[in-house]
């Protein structure tokens, strides 16, 4: 599979004909919504867990020194907190480009704080994409993040911004917070 997933995502037709679609964000989409949206609400998804196992060759790293960014990994019983955005399909062009480094659109059930749910979509970089770096300890992930930098800035900023946004929303994520703790200890 190519790093660039734009063409694959353009073939997803499940939401064709819809005027509005919910998008679930669990990484930078929580703190960097650089696209128009109709509504924004905290939300969760089930049976997926956030992990810094995806390589970033285009935003937070380079081809020769990739950074690490969040993806979702299937895990029965897990609940991942994030932010849902009600968008129009015109936003897909921007999102497909932004998430082109291995991320694919997937239909998913999004649950809101009031107990309601909607079928929406999420971008997930699965283990079969060429940019997938895979599992590593939180310490080793922090080491790689500490030295990675790309066109969108320091990889460290991505992790710190995500941890900060999760705390502001009252959301817990031991994986993210452990990586953040290691990063802070490295800089002391």
């Amino acid at each position: 599979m190519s790093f660039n997933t734009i063409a694959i995502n353009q073939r997803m037709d499940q939401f064709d004909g819809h005027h509005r679609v919910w998008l679930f964000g669990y990484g930078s989409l929580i703190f960097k919504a650089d696209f128009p949206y109709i509504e924004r609400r905290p939300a969760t998804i089930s049976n997926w867990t956030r992990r810094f196992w995806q390589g970033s060759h285009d935003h937070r790293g380079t081809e020769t020194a990739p950074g690490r960014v969040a993806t979702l990994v299937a895990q029965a019983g897990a609940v991942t907190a994030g932010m849902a955005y009600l968008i129009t399909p015109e936003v897909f062009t921007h999102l497909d480009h932004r998430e082109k480094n291995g991320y694919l659109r997937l239909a998913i059930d999004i649950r809101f704080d009031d107990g309601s749910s909607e079928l929406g979509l999420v971008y997930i970089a699965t283990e079969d994409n060429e940019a997938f770096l895979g599992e590593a300890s939180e310490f080793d992930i922090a080491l790689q993040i500490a030295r990675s930098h790309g066109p969108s800035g320091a990889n460290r900023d991505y992790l710190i911004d995500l941890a900060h946004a999760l705390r502001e929303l009252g959301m817990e994520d031991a994986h993210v917070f452990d990586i953040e703790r290691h990063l802070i200890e490295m800089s002391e």
Side-chain angles (χ1 to χ4, degrees):
M1 178 182 293
S2 167
F3 280 27
N4 191 329
T5 55
I6 292 174
I8 296 168
N9 283 324
Q10 289 173 342
R11 290 193 297 267
M12 182 192 192
D13 60 3
Q14 182 162 357
F15 295 101
D16 285 0
H18 290 225
H19 298 290
R20 304 184 313 175
V21 178
W22 282 100
L23 166 71
F24 182 77
Y26 56 88
S28 62
L29 288 177
I30 293 176
F31 61 87
K32 185 182 178 188
D34 61 349
F35 52 89
Y37 57 88
I38 300 162
E39 185 180 347
R40 176 181 182 214
R41 296 171 63 186
T44 59
I45 57 171
S46 297
N47 300 314
W48 294 92
T49 189
R50 182 179 10 247
R51 291 291 180 258
F52 271 75
W53 294 357
Q54 176 66 8
S56 178
H57 301 82
D58 60 341
H59 288 292
R60 298 296 179 160
T62 64
E63 287 288 329
T64 57
R68 279 189 178 258
V69 291
T71 189
L72 295 173
V73 177
Q75 181 179 332
V79 175
T80 296
M83 190 60 66
Y85 298 89
L86 187 59
I87 61 172
T88 61
E90 292 80 21
V91 177
F92 291 159
T93 301
H94 171 73
L95 291 171
D96 288 348
H97 184 266
R98 175 178 167 163
E99 306 298 329
K100 72 181 181 295
N101 194 44
Y103 289 85
L104 296 173
R105 292 188 216 160
L106 176 73
I108 196 158
D109 188 50
I110 301 170
R111 182 160 301 280
F112 301 99
D113 289 349
D114 65 3
S116 66
S117 65
E118 293 278 344
L119 182 65
L121 67 89
V122 64
Y123 284 83
I124 297 176
T126 59
E127 64 186 38
D128 62 351
N129 83 84
E130 292 179 27
F132 193 78
L133 298 176
E135 186 173 358
S137 71
E138 281 82 5
F139 179 81
D140 288 341
I141 291 171
L143 276 175
Q144 185 171 355
I145 287 173
R147 63 178 179 252
S148 296
H149 194 279
S152 295
N155 199 176
R156 173 187 173 81
D157 294 344
Y158 173 102
L159 184 278
I160 298 296
D161 289 347
L162 177 57
H164 178 74
L166 291 171
R167 281 194 188 91
E168 277 191 337
L169 294 166
M171 299 174 176
E172 291 294 321
D173 192 307
H175 178 71
V176 173
F177 296 157
D178 285 348
I179 297 167
E180 178 193 38
R181 180 178 48 80
H182 289 301
L183 270 174
I184 291 168
E185 290 171 357
M186 288 173 194
S187 64
E188 293 177 345

